[in-house]
Amino acid sequence: MVKNIIVIGSGAAGMTAASAAKKTDPSSNVIVFTEDEHIAYSPCAIPWVLEGKTSWNDIIMHDPSFYSEERGIDIRTKTKVTAADGNAKTVTAGGKTYGYDSLVVATGGNVFRPPVKGVDLKNVFTVRTINDGKRIEAAMKGSKKIVVAGAGVIGLEMALSMRNNGKSVTVIEMMDQVIPRIADRDMACPVQRYLESLGITFILSAPLQSVEGDRKAEGVTASGKTYECDMVILATGVRANLEIPKMLGLDIGELGAVVVSPEMRAYRNSVITDDIFVAGDVVQCRSAVAPGPTMSQLGSSAVKQGLIAGKNAAGGCASSGAFASPWVSVIGDMHVAGTGLSEALAKWYGIDTIYGKAEGYTRARYYPGGTGMTVKILADVNTHKMIGAQIIAGEDATGRIDWLTDAIINGTAAEDFLERAENAYCPPTSMVRDVVISAAEDLCDRLKEQSKVIK
Amino acid sequence: MVKNIIVIGSGAAGMTAASAAKKTDPSSNVIVFTEDEHIAYSPCAIPWVLEGKTSWNDIIMHDPSFYSEERGIDIRTKTKVTAADGNAKTVTAGGKTYGYDSLVVATGGNVFRPPVKGVDLKNVFTVRTINDGKRIEAAMKGSKKIVVAGAGVIGLEMALSMRNNGKSVTVIEMMDQVIPRIADRDMACPVQRYLESLGITFILSAPLQSVEGDRKAEGVTASGKTYECDMVILATGVRANLEIPKMLGLDIGELGAVVVSPEMRAYRNSVITDDIFVAGDVVQCRSAVAPGPTMSQLGSSAVKQGLIAGKNAAGGCASSGAFASPWVSVIGDMHVAGTGLSEALAKWYGIDTIYGKAEGYTRARYYPGGTGMTVKILADVNTHKMIGAQIIAGEDATGRIDWLTDAIINGTAAEDFLERAENAYCPPTSMVRDVVISAAEDLCDRLKEQSKVIK
């Protein structure tokens, strides 16, 4: 019997799921419904397209005809799913109803629009789709002053992209530091100082109160003060898009996202489904470090989850471990990366932390072209398990944060990590003792001091 | 009672041990004896100094006066240890005899000189010390044709350094591939082709038979053919320097190096010593992947071992895990890295392997400045444990090989690695699904196929 597999959503999770399903069961019919006009592109690249480092065309990997011709997948763009019934096993889209054997829900998220006056004005933008990016590109031309609301990594990347386009840029942030929640203050501060040195203004502890203007945005009020501008970019976080999951009656968890099993199966009334799979920004998943669930709203997580959802939807067998959610952002000359819990998040979960930190270089001290590198590792002071890490450097933070991520997901104690840790060394690519290992050593020294104090 | 700690050797292991000992017990007397004129330098940097990328002065971190004034460590350069007695607990150097409470032996290794005619001729050089490097620098000036014996990473780095100085360079290698033993043929071939494209000639399966010439080297004969040259560089591997360990009666293992415990303690007649510690190129240590011991003759291993030896020599408490010995070499535009076992080494140990391989990019496909990246991961076909990995890329191989190293040392099965693996993603620093994870996926697919075949 030919299997009908329907995928809702064409982001990283949806497109990966569709390809994985077809690869797992080449005889299956795979249809993807998406409201988007473009598919298989990299939304993370938008800041760099706006800077001219790459182009809209280049960040689109494939168009729908590639999927139909090369992979035998049927893509329906600009097609909204208006109904989905988990009992009848049907999806209605574009006025027609389709039966499915397996359904993959990858409806992603929407940028959170703070519920304040003026957020729906013209010239208030989100950064999510290529069309969002193109709208910003068009508006930029006539704009001199731009306010970015939100100092998370997307906010900072957009702020710098606008600054590199010659704009006057002000970033307002509700919390009292940049990259809140996922970066510690001591690691976030250098990023803020660097962006300030490039001429970007930061207004912290300043929640967005209203967007001023009649027909278009002319200013932003935050913390009682108004900042004049010609356009506003909202980088205020992403909320799961629950319209379809609710139609299907899927269980929604405490984080406001769809509960899934390690096989990316959805639940209904606490019972696992055997035909509905969910992946990407719309799910909450197991955390490798926190006692509760987590949302891993990252492109890399969407691909990982989409692959598992797609394989399983086609009758394959795959599952996911818990998530530490490593991230990295390139902000001008700075690479900032993190994984697992920050100090603030750990505190929120009631975990007492201790940290180790080391400063060094990305290359041997004498080798030209290297930059500074700071590595910070957090451990649970009671279990000594490493639960988070952050890196700032001018290059090569990514592989190192992945290294720490693997150890953190494994529940490795700091002392075990140090005992085992080895680093590849060549003067142009690392210090003879990598800064990651020096940070682990500092952490172990502090844990030893700490245990003396306790005794 | 003030502790007397003597360190023999001023390489990475010895200098790290001296500093760690003094830091652990600041009241101790620490003396370092070394035959070398220079200390605390990076021998791995020699190829780049010869290319002019850095200088002899820059690769020396500190001079002896820094150690005496800043760290309170007494360094005796150009001082050969002529006797060492593990029963009397004395070391004789420069005509005087010194008592010790703890002894650290970090005598390193010597470049293996093949026992053939002519290897002791003038203009036949090794690459080990700054003075070696300076001798090569002086001889280079009058040389046009250079033969490098040995196509390991040091041989290749030196070959390219000489080529970049405008020399005609021929590399002869006993084995039938470059980077033998530690890299697989399919990963080594692109490196050879790249160096050939830069004008370097390779003669493989050609053991050095003799160096021709009366007073100075004028040619090299290998595999029955003679290659004319003005100078010869021996990059023929390093053998443990056992003179001092033999004087002390330390146990020498099957690899021709000193047997040590995880605390870097030596053994005498199979009994662990409590006052003699050994670190660096002179030791054989536990392998994380092979059934027997291994030699981890890398700068990074020397620092790791030296730190442990120094701490313990001063009454501290540290130990080392088993070694996977990750390495990386930057050869022009190419970063080549590896860890654990190669296919050839695994075969030698009787381990049946299976591999996964993926090709991709170091950055998002569309992001400017990225390069190709190939990742290969080897697993034991019976246990599914990952036992080795290799990477070729134009950048950023180092952190990724460290990531794989940690998983390999942990004895992680391929399927477990894939289930857990997450990567940080940003278009300028990785693909949305990192090539490392794609290689792991390929490995798991092949393992699945393999198990079908067996059934």
Side-chain angles (χ1 to χ4, degrees):
Chain A
M1 197 196 78
V2 171
K3 201 165 192 166
N4 290 310
I5 300 170
I6 291 179
V7 177
I8 308 178
S10 65
M15 293 314 298
T16 304
S19 294
K22 189 72 186 177
K23 191 178 163 196
T24 303
D25 179 359
S27 73
S28 62
N29 289 325
V30 179
I31 309 180
V32 178
F33 293 110
T34 176
E35 291 176 55
D36 207 339
E37 181 183 347
H38 306 99
I39 62 160
Y41 61 85
S42 170
C44 303
I46 293 172
W48 290 282
V49 176
L50 293 172
E51 260 185 65
K53 287 228 169 83
T54 178
S55 70
W56 300 121
N57 277 342
D58 282 342
I59 69 166
I60 299 175
M61 304 301 149
H62 303 297
D63 60 11
S65 66
F66 168 87
Y67 282 93
S68 60
E69 286 158 25
E70 299 293 320
R71 298 203 178 158
I73 296 169
D74 183 357
I75 315 274
R76 313 285 177 87
T77 57
K78 296 195 269 186
T79 305
K80 187 173 166 66
V81 171
T82 51
D85 184 330
N87 296 315
K89 302 182 70 162
T90 58
V91 162
T92 305
K96 279 184 69 178
T97 297
Y98 303 80
Y100 66 76
D101 296 301
S102 291
L103 177 65
V104 178
V105 178
T107 49
N110 298 315
V111 176
F112 170 64
R113 298 180 89 93
V116 300
K117 179 173 85 69
V119 284
D120 294 319
L121 281 173
K122 214 176 126 179
N123 281 20
V124 177
F125 301 99
T126 56
V127 192
R128 190 80 186 148
T129 64
I130 282 197
N131 284 335
D132 286 340
K134 288 182 171 176
R135 281 188 283 268
I136 292 172
E137 190 177 39
M140 259 167 60
K141 284 168 187 155
S143 300
K144 285 184 182 160
K145 289 186 182 174
I146 297 174
V147 168
V148 176
V153 292
I154 296 166
L156 299 186
E157 286 170 4
M158 283 302 294
L160 183 57
S161 173
M162 295 299 108
R163 183 68 195 140
N164 286 342
N165 274 289
K167 310 301 177 190
S168 165
V169 179
T170 300
V171 179
I172 62 165
E173 165 59 46
M174 181 172 77
M175 310 289 278
D176 60 357
Q177 66 165 77
V178 304
I179 322 181
R181 279 176 296 272
I182 57 172
D184 293 339
R185 186 183 308 275
D186 57 326
M187 298 298 274
C189 268
V191 181
Q192 181 183 339
R193 283 199 303 270
Y194 168 68
L195 288 171
E196 284 171 342
S197 78
L198 300 176
I200 296 172
T201 302
F202 286 88
I203 314 292
L204 300 178
S205 306
L208 179 67
Q209 289 172 303
S210 57
V211 180
E212 312 303 333
D214 286 335
R215 292 175 50 205
K216 60 181 294 255
E218 289 168 2
V220 158
T221 302
S223 218
K225 231 182 127 180
T226 298
Y227 304 90
E228 225 179 81
C229 66
D230 310 308
M231 62 184 273
V232 178
I233 295 172
L234 295 177
T236 35
V238 167
R239 302 285 163 97
N241 187 349
L242 295 175
E243 201 184 344
I244 304 288
K246 282 180 176 165
M247 286 178 192
L248 291 162
L250 305 185
D251 290 357
I252 310 300
E254 57 266 60
L255 302 179
V258 180
V259 178
V260 289
S261 75
E263 298 81 23
M264 308 313 291
R265 289 176 194 276
Y267 292 79
R268 291 204 298 174
N269 299 318
S270 302
V271 178
I272 198 163
T273 64
D274 58 7
D275 51 10
I276 304 180
F277 303 84
V278 197
D281 288 0
V282 71
V283 307
Q284 65 177 49
C285 49
R286 284 181 300 152
S287 167
V289 280
T294 188
M295 291 184 77
S296 194
Q297 294 182 314
L298 299 161
S300 49
S301 306
V303 168
K304 176 171 184 169
Q305 296 171 353
L307 197 62
I308 292 166
K311 276 187 184 176
N312 291 336
C317 174
S319 67
S320 174
F323 285 79
S325 302
W327 54 273
V328 59
S329 175
V330 175
I331 298 173
D333 295 332
M334 236 181 205
H335 293 217
V336 199
T339 187
L341 299 179
S342 64
E343 285 176 344
L345 265 182
K347 194 173 173 186
W348 195 87
Y349 284 115
I351 300 170
D352 288 333
T353 57
I354 187 164
Y355 74 89
K357 199 170 171 180
E359 300 198 351
Y361 300 92
T362 56
R363 307 182 183 190
R365 212 175 292 261
Y366 51 80
Y367 198 89
T371 73
M373 174 177 277
T374 304
V375 178
K376 182 178 181 181
I377 306 177
L378 300 179
D380 180 321
V381 84
N382 295 308
T383 64
H384 293 205
K385 283 185 183 177
M386 304 197 302
I387 56 166
Q390 290 154 56
I391 300 180
I392 301 177
E395 57 180 359
D396 293 6
T398 303
R400 287 172 168 99
I401 209 73
D402 293 340
W403 171 18
L404 285 161
T405 297
D406 190 65
I408 286 168
I409 295 178
N410 264 318
T412 311
E415 293 86 350
D416 293 337
F417 181 77
L418 182 63
E419 190 167 286
R420 280 198 303 249
E422 290 181 83
N423 66 283
Y425 163 60
C426 190
T429 69
S430 85
M431 299 183 82
V432 64
R433 188 165 175 84
D434 199 84
V435 192
V436 166
I437 300 185
S438 298
E441 192 175 8
D442 184 55
L443 175 59
C444 290
D445 287 348
R446 286 170 194 257
L447 279 164
K448 203 175 274 180
E449 278 307 307
Q450 176 85 5
S451 68
K452 279 184 202 157
V453 173
I454 290 167
K455 280 166 195 165
Chain B
M1 199 195 79
V2 172
K3 201 164 191 164
N4 289 312
I5 300 170
I6 290 179
V7 177
I8 309 177
S10 65
M15 293 314 300
T16 306
S19 294
K22 188 72 187 179
K23 191 178 162 196
T24 303
D25 178 359
S27 74
S28 62
N29 289 326
V30 179
I31 310 181
V32 179
F33 293 110
T34 176
E35 291 176 56
D36 207 339
E37 181 183 348
H38 306 99
I39 61 161
Y41 61 85
S42 171
C44 303
I46 292 172
W48 290 282
V49 177
L50 294 172
E51 259 186 65
K53 285 228 170 84
T54 179
S55 71
W56 301 120
N57 276 342
D58 282 343
I59 70 167
I60 299 175
M61 303 301 149
H62 303 297
D63 61 12
S65 67
F66 168 88
Y67 281 94
S68 61
E69 286 158 25
E70 299 294 319
R71 297 203 178 158
I73 296 169
D74 184 356
I75 314 273
R76 313 284 177 87
T77 56
K78 297 195 268 187
T79 305
K80 187 172 168 62
V81 171
T82 51
D85 184 330
N87 296 315
K89 302 182 72 164
T90 57
V91 161
T92 304
K96 278 184 70 179
T97 296
Y98 302 81
Y100 66 78
D101 295 301
S102 291
L103 177 64
V104 178
V105 178
T107 49
N110 297 318
V111 175
F112 170 64
R113 299 181 89 92
V116 299
K117 179 174 84 72
V119 285
D120 293 320
L121 282 173
K122 214 175 129 179
N123 281 22
V124 177
F125 301 100
T126 56
V127 192
R128 190 80 187 149
T129 64
I130 282 197
N131 284 336
D132 287 339
K134 287 182 172 176
R135 280 190 283 266
I136 292 172
E137 190 177 39
M140 258 167 61
K141 283 169 189 155
S143 300
K144 284 182 183 161
K145 290 186 181 173
I146 297 174
V147 167
V148 176
V153 293
I154 296 168
L156 299 186
E157 287 170 4
M158 283 302 293
L160 183 58
S161 174
M162 294 300 107
R163 183 68 194 140
N164 286 343
N165 274 288
K167 310 303 177 191
S168 165
V169 180
T170 299
V171 178
I172 62 166
E173 165 58 46
M174 182 172 75
M175 309 289 279
D176 62 356
Q177 66 164 80
V178 303
I179 322 182
R181 278 176 295 271
I182 57 174
D184 294 339
R185 187 183 306 275
D186 57 326
M187 299 298 274
C189 267
V191 182
Q192 182 183 338
R193 283 199 304 271
Y194 169 69
L195 288 171
E196 284 172 341
S197 79
L198 300 176
I200 295 173
T201 302
F202 286 88
I203 314 291
L204 301 179
S205 306
L208 180 66
Q209 288 172 301
S210 58
V211 179
E212 312 304 332
D214 285 336
R215 291 175 51 205
K216 60 183 293 255
E218 288 168 3
V220 159
T221 301
S223 217
K225 230 182 128 180
T226 298
Y227 304 90
E228 225 180 81
C229 66
D230 309 310
M231 62 186 273
V232 178
I233 294 172
L234 295 177
T236 34
V238 167
R239 302 286 164 96
N241 187 348
L242 295 174
E243 200 184 347
I244 304 289
K246 282 181 177 167
M247 286 178 191
L248 291 162
L250 305 185
D251 290 357
I252 310 300
E254 57 268 59
L255 302 179
V258 180
V259 179
V260 290
S261 74
E263 298 80 23
M264 308 313 293
R265 288 176 195 276
Y267 292 80
R268 292 204 297 176
N269 299 319
S270 304
V271 177
I272 197 163
T273 64
D274 57 7
D275 52 11
I276 303 180
F277 302 83
V278 196
D281 288 358
V282 71
V283 308
Q284 65 177 50
C285 49
R286 282 181 300 151
S287 167
V289 279
T294 188
M295 291 184 77
S296 195
Q297 294 182 315
L298 299 161
S300 49
S301 305
V303 169
K304 176 171 183 170
Q305 295 171 352
L307 197 61
I308 292 166
K311 276 187 182 175
N312 291 336
C317 175
S319 67
S320 173
F323 285 79
S325 303
W327 55 273
V328 59
S329 174
V330 175
I331 298 173
D333 295 332
M334 235 180 206
H335 293 216
V336 199
T339 186
L341 298 180
S342 63
E343 286 177 343
L345 265 183
K347 194 173 173 187
W348 195 87
Y349 284 115
I351 300 170
D352 289 331
T353 57
I354 187 166
Y355 73 90
K357 199 169 171 181
E359 299 197 352
Y361 299 92
T362 56
R363 307 183 182 189
R365 213 174 291 262
Y366 52 81
Y367 198 89
T371 72
M373 174 177 277
T374 303
V375 178
K376 181 177 182 181
I377 307 177
L378 299 180
D380 181 319
V381 83
N382 295 307
T383 64
H384 293 205
K385 283 186 183 178
M386 305 197 302
I387 57 166
Q390 291 154 55
I391 300 179
I392 300 178
E395 56 180 0
D396 292 8
T398 303
R400 287 172 169 97
I401 208 75
D402 294 340
W403 172 18
L404 285 161
T405 297
D406 190 64
I408 286 169
I409 296 178
N410 264 317
T412 311
E415 293 86 350
D416 293 337
F417 181 78
L418 181 64
E419 189 166 286
R420 280 197 303 250
E422 291 181 83
N423 66 283
Y425 164 60
C426 190
T429 69
S430 84
M431 300 183 82
V432 63
R433 186 165 176 86
D434 198 85
V435 192
V436 166
I437 301 184
S438 298
E441 193 175 7
D442 184 54
L443 175 58
C444 290
D445 287 348
R446 286 171 194 257
L447 279 164
K448 205 176 272 179
E449 278 306 307
Q450 176 85 5
S451 67
K452 280 184 202 155
V453 173
I454 290 167
K455 281 169 195 163

